[in-house]
Amino acid sequence: MSDKKHLTFNQQCYELLKQIPEGKVSTYKALANALGTKAYQAVGNAMNKNPNPYVVPCHRVVQTNGELGGFAYGPKEKIALLKKEGVHIEDNKVVDFKIHFFDGFQP
DNA sequence: CGGTTGACCAAGT
DNA sequence: GACTTGGCCAACC
């Protein structure tokens, strides 16, 4: 058990993403901040290489300004998934973004 | 091991 | 208020 594997920055991002409950969204900055770094872009970069987009709720991550940001499968797919979760999207931006914002990452 | 890339962010013009 | 520039950090070639 004490065998701690060196998870790459990307893997740590995935683990953190899994902590996001349904119907909530977070930002790249919040994730990087939770990891103790300022590599916002590195977080987004990790999502691009996301090997398991259906294991990790990468679609629950948006930009700090409330925009969707991007999605490897197309922004339309991201909107559809979020809408299913209860998060409505309008003009490529999250509706009531602050309300759906989740920053309670557990260590 | 240097340079490029990237689903970003903040400030400046 | 929209566009441009610089900066930050990890992964990839």
Side-chain angles (χ1 to χ4, degrees), chain A residues 6-95:
Chain A
H6 177 252
L7 298 177
T8 59
F9 189 83
N10 304 18
Q11 293 289 342
Q12 295 191 35
C13 292
Y14 307 144
E15 295 295 306
L16 213 60
L17 275 166
K18 289 193 223 163
Q19 298 185 33
I20 303 180
E22 184 179 289
K24 297 264 178 157
V25 289
S26 183
T27 68
Y28 300 99
K29 185 169 184 159
L31 285 162
N33 188 17
L35 293 173
T37 180
K38 296 131 187 143
Y40 330 110
Q41 198 149 32
V43 176
N45 211 3
M47 303 289 99
N48 186 348
K49 294 178 192 161
N50 188 355
N52 34 5
Y54 290 96
V55 179
V56 178
C58 46
H59 58 268
R60 288 182 192 153
V61 186
V62 294
Q63 292 186 206
T64 313
N65 65 328
E67 285 185 21
L68 289 176
F71 197 60
Y73 288 77
K76 201 165 56 65
E77 190 68 26
K78 188 165 183 174
I79 294 169
L81 284 165
L82 286 170
K83 203 183 238 174
K84 259 193 250 206
E85 302 273 324
V87 182
H88 292 260
I89 308 296
E90 187 136 337
D91 193 36
N92 244 55
K93 298 185 195 76
V94 181
V95 180

Coordinates of all heavy atoms in Angstrom, one line a residue, chain A residues 6-95:
Chain A
H6 N 4.5 7.3 -9.0 CA 4.7 8.7 -9.4 C 3.7 9.0 -10.5 O 3.9 8.7 -11.7 CB 6.1 8.9 -9.9 CG 6.3 10.3 -10.4 ND1 6.4 10.6 -11.8 CD2 6.3 11.5 -9.8 CE1 6.6 11.9 -11.9 NE2 6.5 12.5 -10.7
L7 N 2.6 9.5 -10.1 CA 1.6 9.9 -11.1 C 2.0 11.2 -11.8 O 2.5 12.1 -11.2 CB 0.2 10.1 -10.4 CG -0.3 8.8 -9.7 CD1 -1.6 9.2 -8.9 CD2 -0.5 7.7 -10.7
T8 N 1.8 11.2 -13.0 CA 2.2 12.4 -13.8 C 1.1 13.5 -13.5 O 0.1 13.2 -12.9 CB 2.1 12.1 -15.3 OG1 0.9 11.7 -15.7 CG2 3.1 11.1 -15.6
F9 N 1.5 14.7 -13.9 CA 0.6 15.8 -13.6 C -0.8 15.5 -14.2 O -1.8 15.9 -13.6 CB 1.2 17.1 -14.2 CG 0.5 18.3 -13.8 CD1 0.7 18.9 -12.6 CD2 -0.5 18.8 -14.7 CE1 0.0 20.1 -12.3 CE2 -1.2 20.0 -14.3 CZ -0.9 20.6 -13.1
N10 N -0.8 14.9 -15.3 CA -2.0 14.6 -16.0 C -2.9 13.7 -15.2 O -4.1 13.9 -15.0 CB -1.8 13.9 -17.3 CG -0.9 14.8 -18.2 OD1 -0.2 15.7 -17.7 ND2 -0.8 14.5 -19.5
Q11 N -2.3 12.6 -14.7 CA -3.0 11.6 -13.8 C -3.6 12.3 -12.6 O -4.7 12.0 -12.2 CB -2.1 10.5 -13.4 CG -1.6 9.7 -14.6 CD -2.7 8.8 -15.2 OE1 -3.7 8.6 -14.5 NE2 -2.6 8.4 -16.4
Q12 N -2.9 13.2 -12.0 CA -3.4 13.9 -10.8 C -4.6 14.7 -11.2 O -5.5 14.8 -10.4 CB -2.3 14.8 -10.3 CG -1.1 14.0 -9.8 CD -0.1 14.8 -9.0 OE1 -0.5 15.8 -8.3 NE2 1.2 14.5 -9.1
C13 N -4.6 15.3 -12.4 CA -5.7 16.1 -12.8 C -7.0 15.2 -13.0 O -8.1 15.6 -12.6 CB -5.4 16.7 -14.2 SG -4.1 17.9 -14.0
Y14 N -6.8 14.0 -13.5 CA -7.9 13.1 -13.7 C -8.5 12.7 -12.3 O -9.7 12.7 -12.2 CB -7.4 11.8 -14.4 CG -6.7 12.1 -15.7 CD1 -5.7 11.3 -16.1 CD2 -7.1 13.2 -16.5 CE1 -5.0 11.6 -17.3 CE2 -6.4 13.4 -17.7 CZ -5.4 12.6 -18.1 OH -4.7 12.9 -19.2
E15 N -7.6 12.4 -11.4 CA -8.1 12.0 -10.0 C -8.9 13.2 -9.4 O -9.9 12.9 -8.8 CB -6.9 11.7 -9.2 CG -6.1 10.5 -9.6 CD -7.0 9.2 -9.5 OE1 -7.5 9.0 -8.4 OE2 -7.2 8.5 -10.5
L16 N -8.4 14.4 -9.6 CA -9.1 15.5 -9.1 C -10.5 15.7 -9.8 O -11.5 16.1 -9.1 CB -8.2 16.7 -9.3 CG -8.3 17.7 -8.1 CD1 -8.0 17.1 -6.8 CD2 -7.5 18.9 -8.4
L17 N -10.5 15.5 -11.0 CA -11.7 15.7 -11.8 C -12.8 14.7 -11.3 O -14.0 15.1 -11.3 CB -11.4 15.4 -13.3 CG -10.9 16.7 -14.0 CD1 -10.3 16.3 -15.3 CD2 -12.1 17.6 -14.2
K18 N -12.4 13.5 -10.9 CA -13.3 12.5 -10.5 C -14.0 13.0 -9.2 O -15.0 12.4 -8.8 CB -12.6 11.2 -10.2 CG -12.2 10.6 -11.6 CD -11.7 9.2 -11.3 CE -10.5 8.8 -12.1 NZ -9.8 7.7 -11.6
Q19 N -13.5 14.0 -8.5 CA -14.0 14.4 -7.3 C -15.2 15.5 -7.6 O -15.8 15.9 -6.6 CB -13.0 15.1 -6.4 CG -11.9 14.1 -6.1 CD -10.9 14.7 -5.1 OE1 -11.2 15.5 -4.3 NE2 -9.6 14.3 -5.3
I20 N -15.3 15.8 -8.8 CA -16.4 16.8 -9.1 C -17.7 16.0 -9.2 O -17.9 15.1 -9.9 CB -16.1 17.4 -10.4 CG1 -14.7 18.1 -10.4 CG2 -17.2 18.5 -10.7 CD1 -14.4 18.8 -11.7
P21 N -18.7 16.4 -8.3 CA -20.0 15.8 -8.3 C -20.8 16.1 -9.6 O -20.4 17.0 -10.3 CB -20.7 16.3 -7.0 CG -20.0 17.7 -6.8 CD -18.6 17.5 -7.4
E22 N -21.9 15.4 -9.7 CA -22.7 15.6 -10.9 C -23.4 17.0 -10.8 O -23.8 17.4 -9.8 CB -23.7 14.5 -11.0 CG -24.5 14.6 -12.3 CD -25.4 13.4 -12.4 OE1 -25.0 12.3 -12.6 OE2 -26.6 13.6 -12.2
G23 N -23.5 17.6 -11.9 CA -24.2 18.9 -12.0 C -23.4 20.0 -11.5 O -23.8 21.1 -11.3
K24 N -22.1 19.8 -11.3 CA -21.2 20.8 -10.9 C -20.1 21.0 -12.0 O -19.8 20.1 -12.7 CB -20.6 20.5 -9.6 CG -21.6 20.4 -8.5 CD -21.7 21.7 -7.7 CE -22.8 21.6 -6.7 NZ -22.6 22.5 -5.6
V25 N -19.5 22.1 -12.0 CA -18.4 22.4 -12.9 C -17.2 23.1 -12.2 O -17.4 23.7 -11.1 CB -18.9 23.3 -14.0 CG1 -19.8 22.6 -14.9 CG2 -19.6 24.6 -13.5
S26 N -16.1 23.0 -12.8 CA -14.9 23.6 -12.2 C -14.1 24.3 -13.3 O -14.4 24.2 -14.4 CB -14.1 22.6 -11.4 OG -13.0 23.2 -10.8
T27 N -13.0 25.0 -12.9 CA -12.2 25.7 -13.8 C -10.8 25.1 -13.9 O -10.4 24.4 -12.9 CB -12.1 27.2 -13.5 OG1 -11.4 27.3 -12.3 CG2 -13.5 27.7 -13.3
Y28 N -10.1 25.3 -14.9 CA -8.7 24.8 -15.0 C -7.8 25.4 -13.9 O -7.0 24.8 -13.4 CB -8.2 25.2 -16.4 CG -9.0 24.6 -17.5 CD1 -9.9 25.4 -18.2 CD2 -8.8 23.3 -17.9 CE1 -10.6 24.8 -19.2 CE2 -9.5 22.7 -18.9 CZ -10.4 23.5 -19.6 OH -11.2 23.0 -20.6
K29 N -8.1 26.7 -13.6 CA -7.3 27.3 -12.6 C -7.5 26.7 -11.2 O -6.6 26.5 -10.5 CB -7.7 28.8 -12.5 CG -6.8 29.5 -11.6 CD -6.9 31.0 -11.7 CE -5.9 31.5 -10.7 NZ -5.4 32.6 -10.8
A30 N -8.8 26.4 -10.9 CA -9.1 25.7 -9.7 C -8.4 24.4 -9.5 O -7.9 24.0 -8.5 CB -10.6 25.6 -9.5
L31 N -8.4 23.7 -10.6 CA -7.7 22.4 -10.6 C -6.2 22.5 -10.3 O -5.6 21.9 -9.5 CB -7.9 21.7 -11.9 CG -9.3 21.1 -12.1 CD1 -9.7 20.8 -13.5 CD2 -9.4 19.8 -11.3
A32 N -5.6 23.4 -11.1 CA -4.2 23.7 -10.9 C -3.9 24.2 -9.5 O -2.9 23.8 -8.9 CB -3.7 24.7 -11.9
N33 N -4.8 25.0 -9.0 CA -4.6 25.5 -7.6 C -4.7 24.4 -6.6 O -4.0 24.4 -5.6 CB -5.7 26.6 -7.4 CG -5.4 27.3 -6.1 OD1 -4.3 27.2 -5.5 ND2 -6.4 28.0 -5.6
A34 N -5.6 23.5 -6.9 CA -5.8 22.3 -6.0 C -4.6 21.4 -6.0 O -4.3 20.8 -5.0 CB -7.1 21.6 -6.3
L35 N -3.9 21.4 -7.1 CA -2.7 20.6 -7.2 C -1.5 21.3 -6.7 O -0.4 20.8 -6.6 CB -2.5 20.2 -8.7 CG -3.6 19.3 -9.3 CD1 -3.4 19.1 -10.7 CD2 -3.6 17.9 -8.5
G36 N -1.7 22.6 -6.4 CA -0.6 23.4 -5.9 C 0.3 23.9 -6.9 O 1.5 24.1 -6.7
T37 N -0.2 24.2 -8.1 CA 0.6 24.7 -9.2 C -0.1 25.8 -9.9 O -1.3 26.0 -9.7 CB 1.0 23.6 -10.1 OG1 1.8 24.1 -11.1 CG2 -0.2 22.9 -10.7
K38 N 0.5 26.5 -10.8 CA -0.1 27.5 -11.6 C -0.2 27.1 -13.1 O -0.4 27.9 -13.9 CB 0.7 28.8 -11.5 CG 0.6 29.2 -10.0 CD 2.0 29.6 -9.6 CE 2.0 29.9 -8.1 NZ 3.2 29.4 -7.4
A39 N 0.0 25.8 -13.3 CA 0.0 25.4 -14.7 C -1.4 25.2 -15.2 O -1.8 24.1 -15.5 CB 0.8 24.1 -14.8
Y40 N -2.1 26.3 -15.3 CA -3.5 26.2 -15.8 C -3.5 25.5 -17.2 O -4.3 24.6 -17.4 CB -4.1 27.5 -16.0 CG -3.6 28.6 -15.0 CD1 -2.9 29.6 -15.5 CD2 -4.0 28.5 -13.7 CE1 -2.4 30.6 -14.6 CE2 -3.5 29.5 -12.8 CZ -2.7 30.5 -13.3 OH -2.3 31.5 -12.4
Q41 N -2.6 25.9 -18.0 CA -2.5 25.4 -19.3 C -2.1 23.9 -19.3 O -2.6 23.2 -20.1 CB -1.6 26.2 -20.2 CG -1.8 26.0 -21.6 CD -1.5 27.2 -22.5 OE1 -0.6 28.0 -22.1 NE2 -2.2 27.4 -23.5
A42 N -1.2 23.6 -18.4 CA -0.8 22.2 -18.3 C -2.0 21.3 -18.0 O -2.1 20.2 -18.4 CB 0.3 22.1 -17.3
V43 N -2.9 21.8 -17.2 CA -4.1 21.1 -16.8 C -5.0 20.9 -18.1 O -5.4 19.7 -18.4 CB -5.0 21.8 -15.8 CG1 -6.3 21.1 -15.5 CG2 -4.2 22.0 -14.5
G44 N -5.2 21.9 -18.8 CA -5.9 21.8 -20.1 C -5.2 20.9 -21.0 O -5.8 20.1 -21.7
N45 N -3.9 20.9 -21.0 CA -3.1 20.1 -21.9 C -3.3 18.6 -21.5 O -3.4 17.8 -22.4 CB -1.7 20.5 -21.7 CG -0.9 20.2 -23.0 OD1 -1.5 19.9 -24.0 ND2 0.4 20.4 -23.0
A46 N -3.5 18.4 -20.2 CA -3.7 17.0 -19.8 C -5.1 16.5 -20.3 O -5.2 15.4 -20.7 CB -3.7 17.0 -18.3
M47 N -6.1 17.4 -20.3 CA -7.4 17.0 -20.8 C -7.4 16.6 -22.2 O -8.0 15.7 -22.7 CB -8.4 18.1 -20.6 CG -8.5 18.7 -19.1 SD -9.3 17.5 -18.0 CE -7.8 16.8 -17.3
N48 N -6.5 17.3 -23.0 CA -6.5 17.0 -24.4 C -6.0 15.6 -24.6 O -6.4 14.9 -25.5 CB -5.5 18.0 -25.0 CG -5.5 17.9 -26.5 OD1 -6.0 16.9 -27.1 ND2 -4.9 18.8 -27.2
K49 N -5.1 15.2 -23.8 CA -4.5 13.9 -23.9 C -5.3 12.9 -23.1 O -5.0 11.7 -23.0 CB -3.1 13.9 -23.4 CG -2.2 14.7 -24.3 CD -0.8 14.7 -23.7 CE 0.0 15.7 -24.4 NZ 1.2 16.0 -23.5
N50 N -6.4 13.3 -22.5 CA -7.3 12.5 -21.7 C -7.6 11.2 -22.4 O -8.2 11.1 -23.4 CB -8.6 13.2 -21.5 CG -9.5 12.5 -20.4 OD1 -9.1 11.4 -20.0 ND2 -10.6 13.0 -20.1
P51 N -7.0 10.1 -21.8 CA -7.1 8.7 -22.4 C -8.5 8.1 -22.2 O -8.9 7.3 -22.9 CB -6.0 7.9 -21.7 CG -5.8 8.6 -20.4 CD -6.2 10.1 -20.6
N52 N -9.2 8.6 -21.1 CA -10.5 8.0 -20.8 C -11.5 9.1 -20.5 O -11.8 9.4 -19.4 CB -10.3 7.1 -19.5 CG -9.3 7.7 -18.6 OD1 -8.7 8.7 -18.8 ND2 -9.1 7.0 -17.5
P53 N -12.0 9.7 -21.6 CA -12.9 10.8 -21.4 C -14.3 10.4 -20.8 O -15.0 11.2 -20.4 CB -13.1 11.3 -22.9 CG -12.7 10.1 -23.7 CD -11.8 9.3 -22.9
Y54 N -14.5 9.1 -20.7 CA -15.8 8.7 -20.1 C -15.5 8.2 -18.7 O -16.5 7.8 -18.0 CB -16.4 7.6 -21.0 CG -16.9 8.1 -22.3 CD1 -16.1 8.1 -23.5 CD2 -18.1 8.8 -22.3 CE1 -16.6 8.6 -24.6 CE2 -18.6 9.3 -23.5 CZ -17.8 9.2 -24.6 OH -18.3 9.8 -25.8
V55 N -14.3 8.1 -18.3 CA -14.0 7.8 -16.9 C -13.8 9.0 -16.1 O -14.0 9.1 -14.9 CB -12.7 6.9 -16.9 CG1 -12.4 6.5 -15.4 CG2 -13.0 5.6 -17.7
V56 N -13.3 10.0 -16.8 CA -13.0 11.3 -16.2 C -14.0 12.4 -16.7 O -14.1 12.5 -17.9 CB -11.6 11.8 -16.5 CG1 -11.3 13.1 -15.9 CG2 -10.6 10.7 -15.9
P57 N -14.7 13.0 -15.8 CA -15.7 14.0 -16.2 C -15.0 15.3 -16.7 O -15.3 16.4 -16.2 CB -16.5 14.3 -15.0 CG -15.6 14.0 -13.8 CD -14.6 12.9 -14.4
C58 N -14.2 15.2 -17.7 CA -13.5 16.3 -18.3 C -14.4 17.4 -18.8 O -14.1 18.5 -19.0 CB -12.5 15.9 -19.3 SG -13.3 14.7 -20.5
H59 N -15.7 17.0 -19.1 CA -16.6 17.9 -19.6 C -17.2 18.9 -18.6 O -17.9 19.8 -18.8 CB -17.8 17.1 -20.3 CG -18.5 16.2 -19.4 ND1 -18.1 14.9 -19.2 CD2 -19.5 16.4 -18.5 CE1 -18.9 14.4 -18.3 NE2 -19.8 15.2 -17.9
R60 N -16.8 18.6 -17.3 CA -17.2 19.5 -16.2 C -16.2 20.6 -15.9 O -16.3 21.2 -14.9 CB -17.5 18.6 -15.0 CG -18.7 17.7 -15.1 CD -19.0 17.0 -13.8 NE -20.0 15.9 -14.1 CZ -20.0 14.8 -13.4 NH1 -19.2 14.6 -12.4 NH2 -20.9 13.9 -13.7
V61 N -15.3 20.7 -16.8 CA -14.3 21.7 -16.6 C -14.4 22.8 -17.6 O -14.5 22.6 -18.8 CB -12.9 21.1 -16.7 CG1 -11.8 22.1 -16.4 CG2 -12.8 19.9 -15.8
V62 N -14.5 24.0 -17.2 CA -14.7 25.2 -18.1 C -13.6 26.3 -17.8 O -12.9 26.1 -16.8 CB -16.1 25.8 -17.9 CG1 -17.1 24.7 -18.4 CG2 -16.4 26.2 -16.5
Q63 N -13.6 27.3 -18.5 CA -12.7 28.4 -18.3 C -13.1 29.2 -17.1 O -14.2 29.2 -16.7 CB -12.5 29.2 -19.6 CG -11.9 28.4 -20.7 CD -11.6 29.3 -21.9 OE1 -11.6 28.9 -23.0 NE2 -11.5 30.6 -21.7
T64 N -12.2 30.1 -16.7 CA -12.4 30.9 -15.5 C -13.5 32.0 -15.9 O -14.2 32.4 -15.0 CB -11.1 31.6 -15.1 OG1 -10.1 30.6 -15.0 CG2 -11.3 32.2 -13.7
N65 N -13.5 32.4 -17.1 CA -14.5 33.4 -17.5 C -15.9 32.9 -17.7 O -16.8 33.6 -18.1 CB -13.9 34.2 -18.7 CG -13.9 33.2 -19.9 OD1 -13.7 32.0 -19.7 ND2 -14.1 33.7 -21.1
G66 N -16.0 31.6 -17.5 CA -17.4 31.0 -17.7 C -17.6 30.3 -19.1 O -18.6 29.7 -19.3
E67 N -16.6 30.5 -19.9 CA -16.7 29.8 -21.2 C -16.4 28.4 -21.2 O -15.8 27.9 -20.2 CB -15.8 30.5 -22.2 CG -16.4 31.9 -22.7 CD -15.5 32.5 -23.7 OE1 -14.8 31.8 -24.4 OE2 -15.6 33.7 -23.9
L68 N -16.8 27.6 -22.2 CA -16.6 26.2 -22.1 C -15.1 25.9 -22.3 O -14.6 24.9 -21.7 CB -17.4 25.5 -23.3 CG -18.9 25.6 -23.1 CD1 -19.6 25.0 -24.3 CD2 -19.3 24.7 -21.9
G69 N -14.5 26.6 -23.1 CA -13.0 26.3 -23.3 C -12.9 25.5 -24.6 O -13.0 26.0 -25.7
G70 N -12.8 24.2 -24.4 CA -12.6 23.4 -25.6 C -13.0 21.9 -25.2 O -13.2 21.6 -24.1
F71 N -13.1 21.1 -26.3 CA -13.4 19.7 -26.0 C -13.0 18.9 -27.2 O -13.2 19.3 -28.4 CB -15.0 19.6 -25.8 CG -15.3 18.3 -25.2 CD1 -14.8 17.9 -24.0 CD2 -16.2 17.4 -25.9 CE1 -15.2 16.7 -23.4 CE2 -16.5 16.2 -25.3 CZ -16.0 15.9 -24.0
A72 N -12.3 17.8 -26.9 CA -11.7 17.0 -28.0 C -12.7 16.5 -28.9 O -12.5 16.2 -30.1 CB -10.9 15.9 -27.3
Y73 N -13.9 16.2 -28.4 CA -15.0 15.7 -29.2 C -15.9 16.7 -29.8 O -16.9 16.5 -30.4 CB -15.8 14.7 -28.4 CG -15.1 13.4 -28.1 CD1 -14.1 13.4 -27.1 CD2 -15.4 12.2 -28.8 CE1 -13.4 12.2 -26.8 CE2 -14.7 11.1 -28.5 CZ -13.7 11.1 -27.6 OH -13.0 9.9 -27.3
G74 N -15.5 18.0 -29.6 CA -16.3 19.1 -30.2 C -17.1 19.8 -29.0 O -17.6 19.1 -28.1
P75 N -17.2 21.1 -29.1 CA -17.9 21.8 -28.0 C -19.4 21.4 -27.9 O -20.0 21.5 -26.9 CB -17.8 23.3 -28.5 CG -17.5 23.2 -30.0 CD -16.8 21.9 -30.2
K76 N -20.0 21.0 -29.0 CA -21.4 20.6 -29.0 C -21.6 19.4 -28.1 O -22.6 19.3 -27.4 CB -21.8 20.2 -30.4 CG -23.3 20.2 -30.6 CD -23.7 20.2 -32.1 CE -23.1 19.0 -32.8 NZ -23.7 17.7 -32.3
E77 N -20.6 18.5 -28.1 CA -20.7 17.3 -27.2 C -20.6 17.7 -25.8 O -21.3 17.2 -24.9 CB -19.6 16.3 -27.6 CG -19.8 15.0 -27.0 CD -21.0 14.2 -27.5 OE1 -21.4 14.5 -28.6 OE2 -21.5 13.4 -26.7
K78 N -19.8 18.6 -25.5 CA -19.6 19.1 -24.1 C -20.8 19.8 -23.6 O -21.2 19.5 -22.5 CB -18.4 20.1 -24.1 CG -18.0 20.5 -22.7 CD -16.6 21.2 -22.8 CE -16.2 21.6 -21.4 NZ -14.9 22.1 -21.3
I79 N -21.4 20.5 -24.4 CA -22.7 21.2 -24.0 C -23.8 20.2 -23.8 O -24.5 20.3 -22.8 CB -23.1 22.2 -25.1 CG1 -22.1 23.3 -25.3 CG2 -24.5 22.7 -24.8 CD1 -22.4 24.1 -26.5
A80 N -23.9 19.2 -24.6 CA -24.9 18.2 -24.5 C -24.7 17.4 -23.1 O -25.7 17.2 -22.4 CB -24.8 17.2 -25.6
L81 N -23.5 17.1 -22.8 CA -23.2 16.4 -21.6 C -23.6 17.2 -20.4 O -24.2 16.8 -19.4 CB -21.8 15.9 -21.5 CG -21.5 14.8 -22.5 CD1 -19.9 14.6 -22.7 CD2 -22.0 13.5 -21.9
L82 N -23.1 18.4 -20.4 CA -23.4 19.3 -19.2 C -24.9 19.6 -19.1 O -25.4 19.6 -18.0 CB -22.7 20.7 -19.5 CG -21.1 20.6 -19.3 CD1 -20.5 21.8 -19.7 CD2 -20.8 20.3 -17.8
K83 N -25.5 19.7 -20.2 CA -27.0 19.9 -20.1 C -27.7 18.7 -19.5 O -28.6 18.9 -18.8 CB -27.5 20.1 -21.6 CG -28.8 20.9 -21.6 CD -29.3 21.0 -23.0 CE -29.4 22.5 -23.4 NZ -29.8 22.6 -24.8
K84 N -27.2 17.6 -19.8 CA -27.7 16.4 -19.2 C -27.5 16.3 -17.7 O -28.3 15.8 -16.9 CB -27.0 15.1 -19.8 CG -27.9 14.5 -20.9 CD -27.4 13.2 -21.3 CE -26.8 13.2 -22.7 NZ -26.8 11.9 -23.3
E85 N -26.4 16.9 -17.3 CA -26.0 16.9 -15.9 C -26.8 18.0 -15.1 O -26.9 18.0 -13.9 CB -24.5 17.2 -15.7 CG -23.7 16.2 -16.4 CD -23.4 15.0 -15.6 OE1 -23.2 15.2 -14.4 OE2 -23.3 13.9 -16.1
G86 N -27.4 18.8 -15.9 CA -28.3 19.9 -15.2 C -27.6 21.3 -15.4 O -28.2 22.2 -14.9
V87 N -26.5 21.3 -16.1 CA -25.9 22.6 -16.3 C -26.2 23.1 -17.7 O -25.8 22.5 -18.7 CB -24.3 22.5 -16.1 CG1 -23.7 23.8 -16.3 CG2 -24.0 21.9 -14.8
H88 N -26.9 24.2 -17.7 CA -27.4 24.7 -19.0 C -26.3 25.6 -19.6 O -25.6 26.3 -18.9 CB -28.7 25.5 -18.9 CG -29.8 24.6 -18.6 ND1 -30.7 24.1 -19.5 CD2 -30.2 24.0 -17.4 CE1 -31.6 23.4 -18.9 NE2 -31.3 23.3 -17.6
I89 N -26.2 25.6 -20.9 CA -25.2 26.4 -21.6 C -25.9 27.4 -22.6 O -26.8 27.0 -23.2 CB -24.2 25.5 -22.4 CG1 -23.7 24.4 -21.5 CG2 -23.1 26.3 -23.0 CD1 -22.9 24.9 -20.4
E90 N -25.3 28.6 -22.6 CA -25.9 29.6 -23.5 C -24.8 30.4 -24.1 O -23.9 30.9 -23.5 CB -26.8 30.5 -22.7 CG -27.5 31.4 -23.6 CD -29.0 31.6 -23.3 OE1 -29.6 30.7 -22.6 OE2 -29.6 32.6 -23.6
D91 N -24.8 30.5 -25.5 CA -23.8 31.2 -26.2 C -22.4 30.7 -25.8 O -21.5 31.5 -25.6 CB -23.9 32.7 -25.9 CG -23.1 33.5 -26.9 OD1 -23.0 33.1 -28.0 OD2 -22.5 34.5 -26.4
N92 N -22.2 29.4 -25.7 CA -20.9 28.8 -25.3 C -20.5 29.2 -24.0 O -19.3 29.2 -23.7 CB -19.9 29.2 -26.4 CG -19.4 28.0 -27.1 OD1 -20.1 27.3 -27.7 ND2 -18.1 27.8 -27.1
K93 N -21.4 29.7 -23.1 CA -21.0 30.0 -21.8 C -22.0 29.3 -20.8 O -23.1 29.0 -21.1 CB -21.1 31.5 -21.6 CG -20.2 32.2 -22.5 CD -20.2 33.7 -22.2 CE -19.6 34.5 -23.3 NZ -20.4 34.6 -24.5
V94 N -21.5 29.1 -19.6 CA -22.2 28.3 -18.6 C -23.2 29.3 -17.9 O -22.9 30.4 -17.5 CB -21.3 27.8 -17.5 CG1 -22.1 27.0 -16.4 CG2 -20.3 26.9 -18.1
V95 N -24.5 28.8 -17.8 CA -25.5 29.6 -17.2 C -25.4 29.5 -15.6 O -25.2 28.3 -15.1 CB -26.9 29.2 -17.6 CG1 -28.0 30.0 -16.9 CG2 -27.0 29.3 -19.1

